[in-house]
Amino acid sequence: MKETKAIVKTLPLVVVAIFLIGVSINMFLGPHHIAAGGVSGIGILVESVFQIDRALTVLILNLLMLVLTYIFLGKPVFINTVIGSMLLPVSLAIVPEVMVTTDIFLSVTFGSAIFAVGVATLYKIGASGGGTTIPPLIFKKYFGLNTAIGLFVTDIIIVIFNIFVFSMEAFFYAVLSLIITSIVMSYIETGIKRKTAVMIMSQAHTEAIKQTLLHDLNRGVTVFGVTGGYTDEQKKYADGHR
């Protein structure tokens, strides 16, 4: 019962995320023959070489990956992945294959960013669009590997095939797409607002450090007392941050 409620609750996000992935492939990357990894990238490659619809290729590969999902990630993720895996080929079949812009750089930039938002949204709710997004989830669960890095490593092999199917230029654009996707996903996962903190310990110059941080460097500072574990002496830390 709880699993059913969780699925119903996350289903709208899954649908939106899968739709975004479909848009990124059919409207930005696909029209310029950029196979930037993933089953969608494989679909683009297979479609160009064998004239097999990319949606069908994605469906077949996703069915194979579902087996791995059930074995390594468990039933809850499997259920969410089933939905995404089935919706992705549908999205690719429904979203029109339209070249939004003839500028390949703009297409790669915006297409990759949209793709990253879609995949990161799925990851955040423990779901997936299937295919090569499954291995990063497995790597994260068993090895603690960041999903953005896992996706990059998994997809780089697919990207290499751009050289043989399309051109060296397509390969470089595909690499750029992977980099943009990884960066955007990392920011989504860790947050955009990042701060740097520097901790300075001093027993005699805390006030001078505080004044320097506040007035000379224009940085925030927090002073708090601690007790030395070895000497039991009282000390002060000046925590400078921005």
Side-chain angles (χ1 to χ4, degrees):
M1 189 67 178
K2 290 183 179 180
E3 290 182 357
T4 303
K5 289 183 178 179
I7 293 172
V8 173
K9 185 178 180 180
T10 59
L11 184 58
L13 281 177
V14 173
V15 172
V16 171
I18 292 296
F19 174 75
L20 289 175
I21 294 174
V23 169
S24 70
I25 298 301
N26 283 2
M27 293 186 172
F28 292 91
L29 301 178
H32 291 281
H33 302 296
I34 304 299
V39 289
S40 56
I42 296 176
I44 293 173
L45 293 170
V46 171
E47 187 175 68
S48 297
V49 177
F50 301 105
Q51 285 72 54
I52 299 176
D53 189 272
R54 70 186 63 162
L56 178 59
T57 300
V58 170
L59 176 61
I60 294 173
L61 291 175
N62 276 355
L63 289 175
L64 293 175
M65 285 298 172
L66 281 175
V67 177
L68 294 178
T69 303
Y70 189 83
I71 295 174
F72 293 104
L73 299 177
K75 187 177 179 181
V77 177
F78 172 79
I79 294 174
N80 282 336
T81 304
V82 166
I83 298 173
S85 296
M86 296 301 100
L87 286 178
L88 182 55
V90 172
S91 176
L92 292 174
I94 293 177
V95 175
E97 297 181 28
V98 179
M99 184 180 292
V100 177
T101 173
T102 57
D103 189 314
I104 188 171
F105 181 77
L106 288 178
S107 289
V108 169
T109 301
F110 283 94
S112 302
I114 294 172
F115 182 86
V117 172
V119 174
T121 300
L122 292 174
Y123 280 166
K124 275 185 171 293
I125 59 178
S128 169
T132 57
T133 59
I134 297 300
L137 288 176
I138 297 175
F139 294 152
K140 181 177 182 179
K141 179 178 180 179
Y142 291 95
F143 305 105
L145 183 67
N146 182 280
T147 52
I149 297 175
L151 185 65
F152 182 85
V153 173
T154 303
D155 290 344
I156 193 64
I157 297 176
I158 300 171
V159 167
I160 294 176
F161 280 92
N162 281 272
I163 300 174
F164 308 105
V165 177
F166 300 123
S167 65
M168 182 62 73
E169 183 181 8
F171 165 75
F172 285 124
Y173 275 117
V175 171
L176 175 62
S177 176
L178 283 183
I179 294 173
I180 294 173
T181 298
S182 296
I183 292 174
V184 174
M185 283 185 63
S186 295
Y187 271 101
I188 293 175
E189 291 183 349
T190 61
I192 297 177
K193 294 182 178 180
R194 301 185 180 188
K195 294 184 178 180
T196 301
V198 178
M199 300 188 70
I200 305 171
M201 184 180 70
S202 176
Q203 291 177 288
H205 305 288
T206 303
E207 187 62 30
I209 293 172
K210 183 173 67 173
Q211 295 302 320
T212 299
L213 289 171
L214 288 174
H215 301 295
D216 296 344
L217 299 179
N218 194 29
R219 294 288 183 262
V221 59
T222 301
V223 178
F224 53 94
V226 296
T227 302
Y230 181 75
T231 62
D232 284 332
E233 293 181 358
Q234 295 293 320
K235 301 177 182 180
K236 288 186 178 181
Y237 273 106
D239 182 10
H241 50 82
R242 59 183 177 88

